[in-house]
Amino acid sequence: MPQIVIEAEPGPLVFDTARAALVLIDMQRDFLEPGGFGEALGNDVSRLAAAVAPCAAALAAARAAGMRVIHTREGHRPDLSDCPPAKLARGQPSARIGDPGPMGRILVRGEPGHDLVAALAPAPGEVVIDKPGKGAFHATDLGAILSAAGIDTLLVGGVTTEVCVHTTIREANDRGFRCVALADACASYFEEFHRVGLAMIKAQGGIFGWVSDVAAFRAALRSAPIDQGEPA
Ligand code: TIU
């Protein structure tokens, strides 16, 4: 299998594109556009816009390379039966999960706000994971899908860096996956949390994984496979 190398911190990572997936976390209208869950929590949603073009570039590169792509969406069943009461009651939002808003009911599956942003719409055949939690493995079939496909490396972008991206990378790391956060394809409502969240992933020799960016990902995909030598 063709192995390529991506420049990253704390060091370069060799991976096989056939055993890797680009995972875009929760690039939904509910987080990126006014009137959704992110804004209801009191956030300036315009801060997440910077991640859209890098995610689109990573998506185009992965598709061109024939690499597997997985999209996730955070949201709940219309009856909210999969929404823990503690999540529903959390904080003092201007509107709660399930309440009506300009993009339909907040963070509810099937509503316009639950959709991925138009620029990152999934292509036919790409896996979309609907997740009720912050991590993409909790209460989903993501683990089974990755296992069946023989995936061992995840290139990760999406929002928000310190919440759903971080939780997913932590879950994946504990399950034995090698995770590379693509810094510019991730964004947070809080610049400091974005910066520190990425720093935490790559600290201590890559305690949770690696940090790279979309340019390095594209360069890796364009590069010649590294020489594995003759099989022993
Ligand atoms: N609030 C916040 O930063 N994030 C979330 O609620 N979900 C995700 O990160 N997707």
Side-chain angles (χ1 to χ4, degrees):
M1 285 295 181
Q3 306 266 347
I4 57 173
V5 58
I6 183 169
E7 293 304 325
E9 292 181 304
L13 175 68
V14 175
F15 70 99
D16 176 348
T17 51
R19 302 193 64 190
L22 174 68
V23 182
L24 296 182
I25 303 289
D26 301 358
M27 292 297 288
Q28 294 163 261
R29 300 183 65 196
D30 250 321
F31 294 106
L32 286 118
E33 295 183 15
F37 186 56
E39 190 175 77
L41 295 174
N43 297 306
D44 172 5
V45 295
S46 69
R47 289 181 168 274
L48 304 191
V52 174
C55 280
L59 195 52
R63 285 171 177 164
M67 224 178 91
R68 220 170 283 271
V69 173
I70 294 175
H71 307 261
T72 75
R73 301 184 296 200
E74 180 179 351
H76 295 281
R77 294 169 179 263
D79 65 2
L80 305 187
S81 57
D82 61 350
C83 183
K87 181 178 181 182
L88 193 56
R90 191 81 42 87
Q92 300 292 328
S94 59
R96 293 195 186 275
I97 296 168
D99 285 351
M103 294 189 288
R105 294 178 64 208
I106 288 181
L107 220 61
V108 169
R109 293 178 191 162
E111 301 287 340
H114 186 259
D115 285 345
L116 299 172
V117 296
L120 302 173
E126 290 175 353
V127 169
V128 179
I129 300 286
D130 281 331
K131 63 190 192 54
K134 304 306 185 201
F137 289 83
H138 167 68
T140 74
D141 54 8
L142 177 60
I145 289 170
L146 296 177
S147 168
I151 301 293
D152 63 14
T153 303
L154 307 180
L155 290 301
V156 186
V159 296
T160 60
T161 311
E162 79 282 11
V163 182
C164 291
V165 172
H166 230 269
T167 306
T168 298
I169 287 178
R170 287 169 181 238
E171 286 183 325
N173 179 60
D174 276 349
R175 286 164 172 78
F177 295 96
R178 305 179 312 162
C179 298
V180 185
L182 300 176
D184 51 340
C186 300
S188 169
Y189 301 120
F190 305 92
E191 177 51 36
E192 184 186 2
F193 293 171
H194 174 73
R195 183 175 53 77
V196 176
L198 294 171
M200 289 167 70
I201 290 168
K202 67 184 179 186
Q204 305 182 62
I207 195 76
F208 295 125
W210 288 257
V211 176
S212 186
D213 60 23
V214 173
F217 176 53
R218 295 174 69 190
L221 291 177
R222 281 195 306 267
S223 67
I226 61 173
D227 187 1
Q228 295 293 291
E230 290 300 314

